[in-house]
Amino acid sequence: MSPENSLQSASPAPPSSLPGSAVAEIVLAQSRFENVREGYQALQWNEIEGASRYQVLDADGYSYYDGTLTEAFISGLPDGEHTFEVQAYSADNVLVGVTGQPAVIAVHHWPMSQAWASFAVGLVVFLAMIGLIVVGAARSSTPSHDASGSGAES
């Protein structure tokens, strides 16, 4: 056996499903997400018996999550509609579960005009607070004319 063949056989085999074996259906807690404003979403699904890891893939096959939990946090999504599928694999890297209905996340970020308006309101509140602090500090450092506190003149 050549060294090249030994290296190739040492790498893990690509995922597969056993011929004639039933693949369980993964059911998402929610499969449709409308008007997601922040560009991130959590996906949750049922546990599949015999699965040692789960993988979340987008429509292009890009993996957003590969781990042991039955939930994933998908982030960094641009505006548009994004489709995700969950797959479950056994310890032997055999496909044992797949989503029957994929998750669809429709992302519509906040408009820039609303972001600037929120920033402007925050700036006004911030400047008002600074002004109150400065005025309060100036008033508290000014000496009073009546140290006795009686306020009555003789």
Side-chain angles (χ1 to χ4, degrees):
M1 182 179 244
S2 71
E4 290 175 6
N5 289 342
S6 65
L7 288 176
Q8 189 176 14
S9 62
S11 64
S16 64
S17 58
L18 294 175
S21 66
V23 176
E25 181 180 358
I26 296 174
V27 178
L28 296 164
Q30 183 178 348
S31 61
R32 184 88 183 156
F33 302 89
E34 296 289 340
N35 209 24
V36 174
R37 293 289 192 172
E38 294 80 17
Y40 60 83
Q41 186 63 54
L43 300 177
Q44 297 175 331
W45 56 88
N46 62 309
E47 188 171 352
I48 300 297
E49 186 175 338
S52 63
R53 71 178 179 92
Y54 299 91
Q55 189 172 31
V56 177
L57 304 167
D58 69 4
D60 296 326
Y62 179 79
S63 178
Y64 276 75
Y65 172 77
D66 194 334
T68 59
L69 302 176
T70 57
E71 62 183 328
F73 188 79
I74 309 298
S75 64
L77 299 174
D79 280 354
E81 195 167 276
H82 306 275
T83 305
F84 295 93
E85 175 183 78
V86 180
Q87 298 176 346
Y89 294 95
S90 68
D92 300 335
N93 213 28
V94 173
L95 182 67
V96 294
V98 68
T99 46
Q101 181 177 356
V104 178
I105 303 172
V107 177
H108 305 286
H109 287 94
W110 297 103
M112 197 57 140
S113 60
Q114 190 172 6
W116 281 113
S118 297
F119 173 76
V121 168
L123 180 61
V124 168
V125 170
F126 173 75
L127 292 175
M129 293 297 295
I130 295 298
L132 286 173
I133 290 170
V134 168
V135 168
R139 285 186 180 170
S140 67
S141 65
T142 306
S144 72
H145 297 292
D146 185 16
S148 65
S150 65
E153 291 188 26
S154 336

